[in-house]
């Protein structure tokens, strides 16, 4: 009986020693984790907490901590991109407002100060002044439209839309301009009606912007094309040309607010940098997507993909 008691005491002692060592090990591991986290936060690094342990609970905790660190890095990156985008947007917006306002001021001063100006010259100046004011109003309206579209409570009514007719209508509206530019027009629209859940006004605005951009920037290729095709549960509208295209370094950014290529600020190529942003948001509001693929003087295409409906 006494021997059994000694054995039990020995076993309990061993268990206490093991528990003490285990608690000490856990405490040491938690201390290492705390120091590592503090170091990551202090130095703002993208490191992970990597500590070897056979404690299952601590392993699970490490997994969740590293997931949280990944999320934190994503938030920081998104914030940095948003901050940079906002800075560039303000810079571009100030440029796009300052230039026409300076021109408008010049015209006003000419009308006010130039006493030798003839009535005919005054008429020309008034006409140009009127055009510049309209351009400025258009720019401001586009900016406010984009702000409205990007708001969380913005919803557009959707209904069953036949894309065949929308595409034909928009190409026809540019027929005179295409003819005046001497462009070869390649239109591929199937006879079979293809339907999506969309908004006619939004689609007209999207295609108007894409077609006008293609003519403005791609007419040096001599060809304009529009292709409507059916995929597996999708309908694709591709608007393309064979012009100088868009350099690869710009392709990921053309949909950003107020982002314009250098030549878009040339008087020959007046662009606000808002059209593609608005088009992208409108397409996304119809559960679609838009993609750019460009090879200079070979093919530059904007591809809009929508979900097909068959009912």
């Amino acid at each position: 009986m006494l021997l059994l008691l000694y054995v039990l005491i020995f076993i309990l002692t061993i268990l206490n020693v093991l528990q003490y060592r285990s608690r000490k090990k856990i405490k040491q591991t938690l201390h290492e984790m705390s120091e590592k986290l503090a170091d990551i936060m202090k130095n703002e690094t993208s490191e992970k907490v990597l500590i070897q342990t056979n404690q299952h609970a601590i392993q699970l905790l490490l997994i969740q901590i590293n997931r949280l660190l990944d999320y934190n890095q994503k938030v920081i990156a998104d914030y940095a991109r948003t901050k940079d985008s906002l800075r560039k947007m303000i810079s571009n917006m100030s440029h796009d407002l300052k230039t026409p306002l300076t021109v408008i001021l010049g015209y006003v001063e000419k009308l006010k100060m130039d006493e030798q100006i003839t009535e005919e010259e005054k008429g020309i100046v008034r006409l140009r002044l009127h055009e510049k004011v309209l351009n400025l109003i258009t720019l401001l309206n586009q900016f406010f439209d984009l702000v409205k579209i990007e708001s969380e409570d913005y919803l557009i009514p959707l209904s069953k839309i036949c894309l065949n007719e929308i595409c034909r209508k928009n190409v026809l509206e540019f027929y005179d301009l295409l003819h005046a530019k001497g462009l070869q027009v390649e239109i591929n629209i199937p006879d079979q009606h293809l339907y999506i859940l969309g908004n006619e006004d939004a689609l007209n605005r999207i295609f108007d912007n894409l077609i006008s951009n293609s003519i403005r920037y791609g007419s040096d290729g001599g060809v304009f094309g529009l292709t409507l095709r059916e995929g597996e549960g999708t309908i694709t509208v591709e608007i393309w040309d064979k012009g100088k295209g868009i350099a690869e370094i710009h392709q990921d950014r053309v949909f950003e607010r107020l982002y314009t290529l250098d030549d878009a600020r040339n008087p020959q190529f007046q662009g606000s940098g808002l059209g593609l942003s608005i088009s992208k948001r409108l397409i996304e509001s119809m559960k679609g997507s838009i993609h750019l693929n460009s090879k200079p003087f070979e093919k530059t295409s904007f591809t809009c993909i929508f979900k097909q409906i068959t009912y």
Side-chain angles (χ1 to χ4, degrees), residues 25 123 263 268 308:
K25 181 64 176 177
D263 59 6
Q268 185 181 359
Q308 183 178 16

Side-chain angles (χ1 to χ4, degrees), residues 93-213:
M93 192 69 184
S94 64
H95 176 280
D96 288 337
L97 288 177
K98 183 178 179 180
T99 301
L101 284 173
T102 302
V103 175
I104 289 170
L105 180 60
Y107 286 145
V108 171
E109 289 178 345
K110 184 175 181 65
L111 290 172
K112 182 179 179 181
M113 307 297 293
D114 193 345
E115 296 179 355
Q116 297 180 350
I117 188 171
T118 65
E119 287 300 321
E120 183 180 356
E121 290 174 330
K122 285 182 180 180
I124 295 174
V125 172
R126 290 192 193 100
L127 180 62
R128 291 177 179 172
L129 180 60
H130 182 255
E131 290 175 350
K132 286 296 179 183
V133 171
L134 290 180
N135 289 338
L136 184 59
I137 292 173
T138 299
L139 175 62
L140 290 171
N141 285 337
Q142 284 186 327
F143 180 75
F144 291 127
D145 283 347
L146 181 59
V147 172
K148 181 175 67 175
I149 291 170
E150 289 186 333
S151 65
E152 294 182 358
D153 58 348
Y154 178 77
L155 295 173
I156 59 174
L158 303 179
S159 60
K160 185 178 181 180
I161 299 287
C162 177
L163 272 184
N164 309 62
E165 296 305 318
I166 296 291
C167 290
R168 290 192 186 99
K169 172 187 173 184
N170 279 274
V171 172
L172 284 173
E173 289 182 355
F174 284 90
Y175 175 80
D176 290 337
L177 182 56
L178 290 166
H179 181 72
K181 292 278 187 178
L183 297 178
Q184 176 185 338
V185 180
E186 298 185 10
I187 305 299
N188 186 1
I189 300 176
D191 294 331
Q192 176 191 355
H193 287 183
L194 302 176
Y195 295 96
I196 68 167
L197 197 62
N199 180 277
E200 184 172 350
D201 291 336
L203 289 167
N204 286 332
R205 184 166 189 176
I206 292 163
F207 296 145
D208 178 90
N209 177 64
L210 295 179
I211 294 172
S212 61
N213 277 357

Side-chain angles (χ1 to χ4, degrees), residues 95 216-217 260-271:
H95 176 280
R216 181 184 296 124
Y217 302 115
T260 57
L261 309 183
D262 291 339
D263 59 6
R265 298 193 181 280
N266 186 306
Q268 185 181 359
F269 300 101
Q270 292 295 333

